[in-house]
């Protein structure tokens, strides 16, 4: 199958493959994001050695599949008793292959975290293999991959033992942007318009495996019902499988995600600890870091207050699940039966804000700010009553602060007097509390553009959905 919308990753893999030195590539990212698909398709399954770990397998099972893979690729010796022996056998196999081919020797170990069973010594053996064989074999390209992103970061990328500073390249495979999602949709010869793509994206996110289940002969609404609300829908029960496959103790991760999904404005670390009645310590820091590395949440500063980072969920399937599916709705046509209802419209409005926050580079480009230095964040008042919040602030090096108001609408958006007054109040609160002396520019980000009339004059520029679908090099 053809690789779609992974141009940068293909370019990087090509560069690494064509280098004149040994390469050790660590690939990580959220489950279902397409890591295995990327590597197997790019190399057309032409590996010197390939093995994948068994989810929840024990040490004996993991060593068995490793030996079976060695045998498949030409090794004829007995099974190893431990991981040091197993990697010595791999080294022997590669040296044999090096004598018979001048091609790059690509070794792909998939689901690497699965091999690291308790007290197995797997990571030490891997480090020993690379330090004794890998670095000296200039035609070797070792690619390790795993969905347990926290394990990949802590045990491989940031390893302080034998693998310390041994990784030559890291690749964080992220979900598709709207631009990449549209590339995928068009490759399927679909005529869906961008509003349909957006609505599906807000329910499933840019996860290639999820997108592969869409029936493009149906509407976005019918696909959401079929995949998420139908009794046997493909993703009705995906949520628990997702977290159980990523974390050995998923309960606290799911508690944090559920809490943040219910608090649309986001929460600080202290608020998370207080509400969940858990210690605000290093373990919570690790949980938040793990979720961020898996692209489930983001952390953003409330202006310049670095100690007041606010956490929000940015994984769209996770948001959708906790808003609707966690309540075990039995209506299998729930989405169609609730078209135009306040609950659905509120969800669209809130989720569109998250879409925009995940496409900040496209917004910056649409404002022609990509040539100057900018810092961006959301802001919430800490002093005003009622509290004011600004969806997105772009703090520019040219002495201007751009405040973005984000509005979802199925037609051109009409700015009312009440909203006009709210924007003025937010500007006043921001200036008073931050003591900023910079000029203020207001931008409205909408789906179908801003309808021109008297109150629209407060916006110096409007950005529409088409701008969010633009390609970004960042």
């Amino acid at each position: 199958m053809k690789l779609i919308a992974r141009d940068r990753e293909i370019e990087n893999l090509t560069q690494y493959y064509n280098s004149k030195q040994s390469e050790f590539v660590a690939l990580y990212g959220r489950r279902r994001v397409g890591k295995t698909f990327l590597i197997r398709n790019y190399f057309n399954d032409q590996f010197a050695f390939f093995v994948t770990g068994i989810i929840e397998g024990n040490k004996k099972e993991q060593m068995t599949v490793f030996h079976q893979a060695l045998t498949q690729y030409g090794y004829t010796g007995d099974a190893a008793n431990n991981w040091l022996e197993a990697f010595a056998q791999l080294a022997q196999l590669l040296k044999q292959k090096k004598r018979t081919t001048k091609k790059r020797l690509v070794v792909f170990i998939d689901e690497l975290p699965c091999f690291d069973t308790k007290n197995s010594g797997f990571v030490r053996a891997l480090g020993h293999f690379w330090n004794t064989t890998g670095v000296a074999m200039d035609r070797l390209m070792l690619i390790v991959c795993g969905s347990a992103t926290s394990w990949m970061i802590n045990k491989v990328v940031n390893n302080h033992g034998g693998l310390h500073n041994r990784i030559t390249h890291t690749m964080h495979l992220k979900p598709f942007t709207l631009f990449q999602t549209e590339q995928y949709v068009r490759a399927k010869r679909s005529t869906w318009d961008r509003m349909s793509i957006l609505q599906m994206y807000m329910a499933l996110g840019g996860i290639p495996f999820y997108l592969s289940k869409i029936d493009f002969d149906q509407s976005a609404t019918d696909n959401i019902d079929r995949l998420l609300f139908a009794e046997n829908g493909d993703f009705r029960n995906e949520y628990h499988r997702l977290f159980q496959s990523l974390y050995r103790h998923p309960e606290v991760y799911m508690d944090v995600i559920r809490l943040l999904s219910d608090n649309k404005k986001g929460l600080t670390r202290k608020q998370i600890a207080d509400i969940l009645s858990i210690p605000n310590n290093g373990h919570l820091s690790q949980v938040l870091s793990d979720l961020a590395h898996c692209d489930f949440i983001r952390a953003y500063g409330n202006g310049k207050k670095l100690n007041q980072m606010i956490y929000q969920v940015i994984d769209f399937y996770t948001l959708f699940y906790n808003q609707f599916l966690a309540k075990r709705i039995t209506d299998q046509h729930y989405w169609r039966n609730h078209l135009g209802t306040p609950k659905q419209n509120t969800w669209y409005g809130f989720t569109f804000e998250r879409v925009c926050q995940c496409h900040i580079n496209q917004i910056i480009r649409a404002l022609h700010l990509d040539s100057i230095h900018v810092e961006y964040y959301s802001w919430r008042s800490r002093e005003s009553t009622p509290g004011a919040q600004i969806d997105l602030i772009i703090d520019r090096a040219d002495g201007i602060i751009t405040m973005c108001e984000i509005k979802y609408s199925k037609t051109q958006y009409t700015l009312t007097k009440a909203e006009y007054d709210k924007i003025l109040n937010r500007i006043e609160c921001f200036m008073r509390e931050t003591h900023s002396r910079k000029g203020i520019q207001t931008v409205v980000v909408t789906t179908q553009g801003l309808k021109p009339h008297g109150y629209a004059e407060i916006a110096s520029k409007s950005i529409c959905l088409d701008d969010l679908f633009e390609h970004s090099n960042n």
Side-chain angles (χ1 to χ4, degrees), residues 6 9 28-29 33 172-177 180 206-208 292 295:
R6 292 301 189 190
E9 289 78 12
Y28 62 92
V33 81
H172 181 182
L173 198 63
K174 291 180 171 289
F176 284 166
T177 62
Q180 293 169 312
I207 306 301
D295 299 306

Side-chain angles (χ1 to χ4, degrees), residues 29-49:
R30 180 198 189 281
R31 185 173 185 259
R32 309 289 205 184
V33 81
K35 301 179 297 299
T36 303
F37 184 84
L38 169 67
I39 299 302
R40 295 192 66 171
N41 278 265
Y42 177 82
F43 291 103
N44 195 29
D45 277 332
Q46 300 300 303
F47 300 114
F49 177 75

Side-chain angles (χ1 to χ4, degrees), residues 191-364:
T191 58
W192 271 18
D193 62 17
R194 286 180 167 178
M195 279 295 288
S196 295
I197 296 173
L198 172 67
Q199 290 173 351
M200 203 73 223
Y201 189 90
M202 288 194 283
L204 295 181
I207 306 301
F209 178 76
Y210 296 171
L211 299 176
S212 72
K213 300 297 183 179
I214 296 174
D215 181 351
F216 290 104
D217 290 330
Q218 296 182 337
S219 67
T221 297
D222 289 337
N223 271 283
I224 290 173
D225 275 334
R226 179 176 60 84
L227 294 173
L228 295 160
F229 289 102
E231 183 177 357
N232 296 315
D234 286 35
F235 306 126
R236 185 178 180 94
N237 298 308
E238 163 76 359
Y239 184 77
H240 290 86
R241 293 194 298 263
L242 177 62
F243 284 91
Q244 288 166 358
S245 69
L246 291 175
Y247 308 111
R248 290 180 178 174
H249 303 285
E251 294 79 15
V252 66
Y253 293 91
M254 296 169 71
D255 287 343
V256 170
I257 288 290
R258 183 165 50 249
L259 177 64
L260 292 178
S261 296
D262 290 339
N263 289 268
K264 298 178 175 60
K265 294 180 180 179
L267 296 170
T268 65
R269 195 176 95 164
K270 184 178 185 306
Q271 288 173 325
I272 293 170
D274 290 346
I275 296 172
L276 293 179
S277 298
I278 59 177
N280 185 4
N281 57 14
H283 178 62
L284 178 57
S285 296
Q286 187 64 58
V287 168
L288 295 172
S289 176
D290 292 348
L291 290 171
H293 280 134
C294 280
D295 299 306
F296 285 117
I297 67 173
R298 71 164 187 146
Y300 68 92
N302 187 24
K304 304 298 182 183
K305 301 179 185 296
L306 297 180
N307 62 340
Q308 288 292 322
M309 299 297 289
I310 297 171
Y311 295 89
Q312 287 181 328
V313 176
I314 57 170
D315 181 76
F316 294 100
Y317 167 77
T318 298
L319 278 171
F320 192 94
Y321 178 91
N322 280 286
Q323 182 66 33
F324 298 102
L325 301 178
K327 300 171 184 177
R328 309 308 300 175
I329 292 171
T330 58
D331 183 355
Q332 298 190 48
H333 301 284
Y334 179 89
W335 207 242
R336 176 163 293 283
N337 291 338
H338 285 77
L339 287 175
T341 60
K343 183 172 184 178
Q344 191 180 95
N345 290 338
T346 298
W347 177 84
Y348 273 131
F350 151 67
T351 310
F352 183 61
E353 290 180 16
R354 295 292 163 86
V355 171
C356 292
Q357 289 158 352
C358 291
H359 289 75
I360 180 63
N361 292 320
Q362 285 77 6
I363 293 174
I364 289 173

Side-chain angles (χ1 to χ4, degrees), residues 392-431:
L392 176 63
I393 286 179
I394 303 174
D395 196 337
R396 300 158 45 172
D398 59 359
I400 297 174
I401 286 178
T402 297
M403 295 185 173
C404 297
E405 287 285 321
I406 301 173
K407 304 293 183 184
Y408 176 87
S409 177
K410 294 181 181 178
T411 59
Q412 270 195 320
Y413 190 78
T414 300
L415 200 64
T416 65
K417 183 179 186 305
E419 288 167 329
Y420 176 89
D421 291 338
K422 286 181 181 178
I423 293 173
L424 290 178
N425 179 63
R426 289 171 188 147
I427 294 173
E428 180 184 344
C429 291
F430 177 83
M431 298 295 286

